[in-house]
Amino acid sequence: MNKKVSWGVLGTANIAVKKVIPAMLAGELTAVSAIASRDEESARAAADSLGIPRYFGSYDALLHDPDIDAVYIPLPNHLHLEWTTRAAEAGKHVLCEKPIGLNGDEVRDLIGVRNRTGVLIQEAFMIRTHPTWIAVKEIIASGRIGTLNAVTGFFSYYNDDPSNIRNDLEKGGGALLDIGCYCVNVSRFVFGNEPTEVSGLIERDPQSGIDRLSSSMMRFASGHSTFTCSTQLVPYQSMIFFGTKGRLEVQIPFNIPVETTTNLFVDDGSDLYERSLEKIEFEAADQYTIQGDVFSKAIMERAEPDYSLEDSFGNMSVLDAIFRSAKSGRAERPEVL
Ligand SMILES: NC(=O)c1ccc[n+]([C@@H]2O[C@H](COP(=O)([O-])OP(=O)(O)OC[C@H]3O[C@@H](n4cnc5c(N)ncnc54)[C@H](OP(=O)(O)O)[C@@H]3O)[C@@H](O)[C@H]2O)c1
């Protein structure tokens, strides 16, 4: 294998063209060698504007390119299982956008695909490799905020465009799969285990049927996590971690800025007007560049990916249980593998 892993991209998705590909192009171990679209002209335009050497008018054609080692899949959610499977069967390692499937059963299928094909498959939860999130975990482990007992999160934006994939139920739209998945993910990350039961409340958009306002309470062995997410509210992001001795808050937790420093806030609560608040600054870092390089390194070293499909299954089965609870009106237990 070359000094860099040769990547292909399936689809000219917004997130890929605007954020992830430019970030991956800056990676030390990552080369973006090809892009495919259902429409050859779109593929050509994206390749030209991003400086990608090859383009294809179908996803299949890219998967048959022997010079591609790995693919990044930023397709709509309902296509993640199909194209991750097809890429793995073509011998390509796969980094697929979140949520990697529509439910736990799809992730279970992908675990079978990975075991059968021997390629690496990872869900693109870019926050897991960002230095700020690694620091959050370290600060909590250091005991600085005492024993972590409660987590609370909020993630919202306003988007009621009927042509957007997030507003199409058939394509896996809705708040929980699009952004609630992050609140579940970081709760599991900081507690370091799975919730034993969860409750959910869901309000659906009367036209599209997607969940546009969803909230959950999750019981972990050592505390509680609650969150609300919405696709039709003022844009806002917050994750706060409460311990017996302090509170830790991540600024813009899911879209950590690329060009400016990031802040973590720690407060021991001695002054309710926040005069005891301490700001910890982090160097600017691009989570998509880091994610690409960490996955490329795992490919080169034939190591396990940083975020396993078993972890993805845990996340997805919590989301499944939230959906079940919203229907049943009772707390539900997430399925375990
Ligand atoms: N990690 C993050 O920070 C982050 C942020 C945003 C989104 N995402 C995830 O990335 C994925 C893409 O999101 P996005 O908003 O960028 O999507 P998007 O702009 O709507 O792009 C999706 C792409 O999929 C391709 N496609 C194939 N079949 C399609 C179909 N039936 N309907 C629509 N598009 C189809 C299209 O590419 P061609 O026409 O070129 O084939 C389209 O450009 C989602 O899974 C989302 O959850 C992740």
Side-chain angles (χ1 to χ4, degrees):
M1 194 174 280
N2 302 326
K3 257 183 34 226
K4 288 189 175 189
V5 171
S6 169
W7 286 77
V9 179
L10 301 190
T12 54
N14 243 320
I15 184 66
V17 171
K18 294 199 178 133
K19 298 244 171 92
V20 180
I21 298 174
M24 286 176 82
L25 286 167
E28 281 174 25
L29 306 176
T30 304
V32 182
S33 311
I35 186 163
S37 170
R38 296 167 298 171
D39 170 42
E40 189 165 325
E41 183 46 34
S42 301
R44 191 192 60 75
D48 281 357
S49 71
L50 292 160
I52 299 173
R54 297 193 294 289
Y55 63 87
F56 297 96
S58 83
Y59 305 154
D60 254 330
L62 185 147
L63 294 185
H64 285 100
D65 180 341
D67 295 328
I68 296 294
D69 307 312
V71 292
Y72 165 60
I73 302 186
L75 297 173
N77 301 340
H78 71 303
L79 298 176
H80 289 177
L81 171 64
E82 177 189 344
W83 284 98
T84 298
T85 305
R86 290 168 79 152
E89 284 171 349
K92 312 299 184 196
H93 304 285
V94 181
L95 179 68
C96 177
E97 267 307 339
K98 41 54 61 178
I100 196 164
L102 295 177
N103 49 49
D105 286 345
E106 292 201 356
V107 185
R108 202 193 297 274
D109 284 357
L110 287 175
I111 291 174
V113 170
R114 177 201 62 194
N115 295 346
R116 180 160 50 78
T117 57
V119 299
L120 304 189
I121 301 179
Q122 185 184 303
E123 185 174 22
F125 268 118
M126 71 295 177
I127 50 173
R128 285 289 186 113
T129 40
H130 195 286
T132 307
W133 277 106
I134 292 168
V136 167
K137 185 103 169 160
E138 284 168 1
I139 291 169
I140 291 170
S142 76
R144 169 119 192 242
I145 63 163
T147 306
L148 175 73
N149 281 150
V151 175
T152 183
F154 206 98
F155 197 166
S156 57
Y157 57 77
Y158 201 99
N159 179 343
D160 60 358
D161 171 3
S163 69
N164 191 285
I165 56 170
R166 286 158 189 77
N167 292 314
D168 189 335
L169 204 51
E170 305 271 290
K171 291 181 180 164
L176 272 175
L177 287 182
D178 193 41
I179 47 180
C181 61
Y182 286 108
C183 301
V184 173
N185 195 300
V186 295
S187 301
R188 296 171 53 253
F189 182 56
V190 295
F191 278 122
N193 51 41
E194 303 295 336
T196 50
E197 61 173 353
V198 307
S199 305
L201 279 181
I202 287 179
E203 182 196 288
R204 291 191 179 271
D205 180 274
Q207 264 81 47
S208 67
I210 59 119
D211 64 299
R212 64 178 179 186
L213 176 65
S214 297
S215 303
S216 178
M217 290 194 293
M218 300 177 268
R219 184 195 299 281
F220 287 82
S222 56
H224 297 171
S225 176
T226 60
F227 74 87
T228 291
C229 59
S230 176
T231 58
Q232 291 179 26
L233 275 183
V234 59
Y236 186 66
Q237 302 184 9
S238 148
M239 283 304 306
I240 313 178
F241 305 95
F242 296 90
T244 47
K245 292 194 305 197
R247 167 175 72 85
L248 176 64
E249 184 164 353
V250 188
Q251 189 178 41
I252 323 177
F254 307 114
N255 292 105
I256 293 181
V258 178
E259 270 121 26
T260 59
T261 50
T262 318
N263 298 316
L264 278 183
F265 300 102
V266 187
D267 193 345
D268 66 8
S270 57
D271 183 316
L272 288 177
Y273 293 92
E274 294 192 334
R275 282 174 293 230
S276 47
L277 189 79
E278 188 196 326
K279 183 166 92 173
I280 307 174
E281 257 186 25
F282 288 84
E283 293 286 305
D286 190 320
Q287 52 196 355
Y288 302 113
T289 306
I290 300 170
Q291 170 179 259
D293 270 354
V294 169
F295 194 72
S296 291
K297 186 160 181 274
I299 293 172
M300 287 166 145
E301 295 177 351
R302 299 179 193 288
E304 290 301 311
D306 211 58
Y307 183 69
S308 71
L309 280 181
E310 284 71 12
D311 218 333
S312 292
F313 177 85
N315 216 60
M316 195 56 77
S317 75
V318 172
L319 295 169
D320 287 348
I322 296 171
F323 279 117
R324 284 202 306 279
S325 166
K327 259 197 185 148
S328 70
R330 292 188 308 264
E332 297 278 348
R333 287 184 169 278
E335 209 188 323
V336 287
L337 267 179

